[in-house]
């Protein structure tokens, strides 16, 4: 569509450009018109618009215009004058004015936060040193002092195996916690390392992060998780592996030999009945993604294999036929 919200509808070329059948295109246009999202602004004709005797032919196109339902204007607080396609926005209600001000403020904050720094530099440049024997000289090299590399804090250090496990946990948490989806997997996995070290599983972390009271779209989810970890480490130092301030003094009579023998015998029996099993590592993110894509492909193949008796409406059977025509052989 152009800036005015109009589009020239050319059925003969649009269905080829979209990669769908002609009847599917006509059905979608009819649905959009029935919902009140498209109106027929100009009726196209087959009258030749080229000069007579030129040998060329070109008809007039059908022009559609985009509209919105009146219920949407009432919901966002728009004052509208007129009816249907000829309705025009004339102002805001009190509720709509509050929504517009909040939207403008959020856009201003995003614009300030995402401004790119200027690439122009005004640093002083050294002049070339002219020698006695050579006439082509260059400016002296400046040795840049490299800043020492900052060490990773203790709770965030991890080996290759722990880093891979953190990536798999982040891949599990990322699609299940809505406010973490704006963060990359690597930064999310780095922020979750100390939480994983406490023994929490991926499902427990996803459940715990889902109940946190956070904004709908935090600017940096990883920074928020790291800040919550600092608060958690200060409140419960014993849970994060910190040594206690004072060790508890042992009181009472030590156990005798018969008690220790019975204890060892019981532990041996328990290990024989229930041998320890190694925890199954969670698959990495690329394995999970492959499984999801494979299940989606299987669902699409099963949907295309439906018979007419399994379809509820004729339009659904038409959609199945169109999908079979466009499916790769």
């Amino acid at each position: 569509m152009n800036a005015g919200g109009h589009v020239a509808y050319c059925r003969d070329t649009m269905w080829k450009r979209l990669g769908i059948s002609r009847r599917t295109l006509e059905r979608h246009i009819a649905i959009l018109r029935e919902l009140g999202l498209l109106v027929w602004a100009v009726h196209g004709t087959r009258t030749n618009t080229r000069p007579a005797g030129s040998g060329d032919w070109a008809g007039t196109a059908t022009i559609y215009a985009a509209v919105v339902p009146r219920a949407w204007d009432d919901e966002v607080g728009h004052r509208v004058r007129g009816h249907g396609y000829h309705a025009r926005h004339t102002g805001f209600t009190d509720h709509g004015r509050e929504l517009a001000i909040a939207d403008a403020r959020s856009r201003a904050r995003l614009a300030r936060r995402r401004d790119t720094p200027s690439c122009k530099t005004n640093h002083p440049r050294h002049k070339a040193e002219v020698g006695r024997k050579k006439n082509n000289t260059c400016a002296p090299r400046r040795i840049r002092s490299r800043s020492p590399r900052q060490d990773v804090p203790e709770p965030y250090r991890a080996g290759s195996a722990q880093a891979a496990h953190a990536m798999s946990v982040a891949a599990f948490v990322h699609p299940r916690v809505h406010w973490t989806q704006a963060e990359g997997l690597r930064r999310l996995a780095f922020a979750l390392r100390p939480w994983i070290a406490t023994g929490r599983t991926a499902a427990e972390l996803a459940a715990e992060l889902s109940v946190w009271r956070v904004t709908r779209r935090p600017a940096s989810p990883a920074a928020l998780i790291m800040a919550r970890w600092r608060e958690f480490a200060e409140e419960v130092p014993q849970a994060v592996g910190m040594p206690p301030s004072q060790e508890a003094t042992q009181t009472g009579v030590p156990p005798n030999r018969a008690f220790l023998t019975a204890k060892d015998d019981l532990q041996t029996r328990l290990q024989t009945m229930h041998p320890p099993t190694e925890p199954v590592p969670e698959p990495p993110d690329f394995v999970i993604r492959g499984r999801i894509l494979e299940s989606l492909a299987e669902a699409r193949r099963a949907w295309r294999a439906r018979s007419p008796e399994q379809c509820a409406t004729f339009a659904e059977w038409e959609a199945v036929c169109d999908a079979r025509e466009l499916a790769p052989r």
Side-chain angles (χ1 to χ4, degrees):
M1 292 187 177
N2 56 12
H6 295 80
V7 60
Y9 172 60
C10 185
R11 181 180 55 187
D12 296 334
T13 59
M14 186 174 293
W15 68 274
K16 296 179 182 179
R17 186 171 68 251
L18 296 178
I20 59 178
S21 63
R22 185 193 300 267
R23 54 185 176 182
T24 301
L25 174 64
E26 295 175 353
R27 186 171 62 251
H28 289 179
I29 295 297
I31 292 173
L32 290 176
R33 292 187 61 194
E34 185 178 357
L35 292 175
L37 302 177
L38 277 182
V39 294
W40 207 342
V42 178
H43 292 257
T45 63
R46 298 184 65 84
T47 305
N48 191 6
T49 57
R50 298 296 175 84
S54 61
D56 298 331
W57 178 88
T60 57
T62 300
I63 304 298
Y64 281 108
V67 293
V68 295
R70 183 60 180 268
W72 182 81
D73 289 323
D74 297 338
E75 182 68 23
V76 297
H78 289 174
R79 296 185 186 274
V80 180
R81 179 179 298 175
H83 180 71
Y85 171 64
H86 300 284
R88 294 296 179 264
H89 180 207
T90 59
F92 294 92
T93 61
D94 295 338
H95 177 64
R97 189 174 295 106
E98 294 177 358
L99 293 178
I101 292 174
D103 182 65
R105 288 177 178 175
S106 63
R107 291 176 182 273
R109 286 195 299 267
L110 290 176
R112 287 196 302 267
R113 184 167 57 87
R114 296 181 179 179
D115 280 343
T116 56
S118 176
C119 297
K120 184 178 180 181
T121 58
N122 295 321
H123 303 299
R125 299 180 179 180
H126 296 273
K127 295 182 178 180
E129 298 179 358
V130 181
R132 296 182 179 180
K133 297 183 179 180
K134 298 181 180 179
N135 57 355
N136 297 326
T137 58
C138 59
R141 286 188 174 183
R142 290 185 300 169
I143 302 176
R144 297 181 180 180
S145 60
R146 297 183 178 181
S147 58
R149 184 176 180 180
Q150 298 180 356
D151 295 334
V152 180
E154 179 63 30
Y156 298 97
R157 295 179 183 177
S160 58
Q162 290 82 359
H165 178 64
M167 284 293 295
S168 63
V169 173
F172 181 87
V173 173
H174 192 266
R176 291 169 175 81
V177 183
H178 65 92
W179 56 269
T180 62
Q181 296 174 2
E183 192 66 84
L185 284 180
R186 292 184 179 275
R187 289 178 56 85
L188 183 61
F190 181 82
L192 291 175
R193 284 181 183 179
W195 298 94
I196 299 172
T198 58
R200 292 176 171 85
T201 61
E204 293 174 353
L205 279 176
E208 185 174 352
L209 296 179
S210 300
V211 298
W212 284 6
R213 292 186 178 181
V214 296
T215 58
R216 186 175 182 181
R217 224 19 121 162
S220 179
L224 176 62
I225 296 174
M226 296 171 71
R228 290 291 180 91
W229 170 256
R230 288 193 294 269
E231 298 175 0
F232 178 75
E234 293 176 358
E235 293 176 359
V236 191
Q238 304 295 336
V240 297
M242 294 184 179
S245 56
Q246 294 180 357
E247 296 183 357
T249 57
Q250 298 180 359
T251 59
V253 180
N256 54 15
R257 187 181 299 276
F259 177 80
L260 294 177
T261 305
K263 178 182 176 183
D264 295 339
D265 187 15
L266 181 61
Q267 289 181 354
T268 304
R269 290 182 181 180
L270 290 176
Q271 292 179 0
T272 305
M273 296 172 59
H274 304 284
T277 58
E278 297 182 357
V280 180
E282 298 183 1
D285 53 350
F286 62 88
V287 176
I288 298 175
R289 181 175 180 272
R291 292 177 181 176
I292 293 175
L293 294 178
E294 184 179 356
S295 61
L296 292 177
E298 183 65 26
R300 284 194 296 268
R301 288 192 295 268
W303 184 79
R304 287 196 298 265
R306 301 177 67 182
S307 61
E309 292 79 9
Q310 295 176 345
C311 298
T313 60
F314 182 72
E316 187 175 357
W317 172 243
E318 284 186 342
V320 172
C321 294
D322 295 340
R324 290 179 181 177
E325 294 176 1
L326 298 175
R329 301 298 180 183

